[in-house]
Amino acid sequence: LNKLYSSSARKNSSSSSSSGGKKPSTSTGGSSSSGSGSSSGGNTIYKGSVSSLLSVAQSKIGCRYVKGAKGPNSFDCSGFVYWCLRQVGVNQSYWTSSTWRGNGKYQKISSMSAIQAGDIVVFGNGLNHVGIALGGGSMIDASSGDGCIRITSLSKAYWVSHFYAAYRVIG
């Protein structure tokens, strides 16, 4: 996977729109790991690989923060989440942090203690920010303060006080 998602990997130049099941379906069955989704009770869960999402995200550590950027070498927080999800086959349109807060598409996780690796972590209370949970109490995000993609601890009081919810996109 590291080679597949490394910066030296060749990108597919095909512009075919038949991408093999990357859009969510409305069925509730199946345990495929092809990136397809299933919907149940208004919550879509993509049956992809959390480890692939985390690998893609970690491959961008150190890339520059640029407001409004959506990759592949510079990002803002929303652009980073958008780009990472798209790389692993989640056909999700670009959402700002405020759009994430209002979504009913994915399973909402209301407690920080229930966050799992791969969840999209959303912050509010005066802070518009999103990141990707790495597990073990860490998050990877595009930080305007640090000016780059970095890993930070979710247990910091700052994050705890601004936590809104997390969303389980891949499960």
Side-chain angles (χ1 to χ4, degrees):
L1 284 176
N2 287 338
K3 286 184 180 182
L4 181 63
Y5 291 112
S6 73
S7 60
S8 62
R10 267 188 11 190
K11 299 292 180 190
N12 183 354
S13 61
S14 170
S15 62
S16 171
S17 63
S18 62
S19 54
K22 291 184 181 179
K23 292 183 180 180
S25 69
T26 55
S27 69
T28 57
S31 60
S32 166
S33 62
S34 67
S36 63
S38 65
S39 178
S40 175
N43 291 322
T44 300
I45 301 289
Y46 285 83
K47 301 294 182 185
S49 166
V50 168
S51 63
S52 294
L53 176 62
L54 301 183
S55 178
V56 165
Q58 290 174 322
S59 75
K60 294 302 175 178
I61 291 174
C63 285
R64 284 187 326 129
Y65 175 94
V66 175
K67 186 175 180 173
K70 297 177 182 83
N73 297 311
S74 56
F75 305 89
D76 68 6
C77 66
S78 300
F80 176 65
V81 168
Y82 165 77
W83 187 87
C84 290
L85 289 173
R86 299 285 291 201
Q87 299 312 297
V88 297
V90 177
N91 192 17
Q92 170 60 56
S93 60
Y94 175 79
W95 285 358
T96 64
S97 56
S98 60
T99 307
W100 275 101
R101 285 193 302 272
N103 100 77
K105 183 175 181 178
Y106 302 113
Q107 178 185 354
K108 184 177 182 178
I109 311 301
S110 297
S111 168
M112 285 190 95
S113 63
I115 293 173
Q116 295 179 7
D119 288 349
I120 307 305
V121 189
V122 183
F123 301 92
N125 300 325
L127 174 68
N128 292 316
H129 193 67
V130 293
I132 301 170
L134 291 173
S138 296
M139 168 181 72
I140 186 167
D141 67 337
S143 167
S144 60
D146 286 352
C148 64
I149 306 296
R150 52 84 193 264
I151 294 174
T152 188
S153 172
L154 285 170
S155 64
K156 293 180 181 177
Y158 179 78
W159 295 121
V160 172
S161 68
H162 289 91
F163 177 73
Y164 174 78
Y167 292 92
R168 187 130 323 129
V169 176
I170 299 176

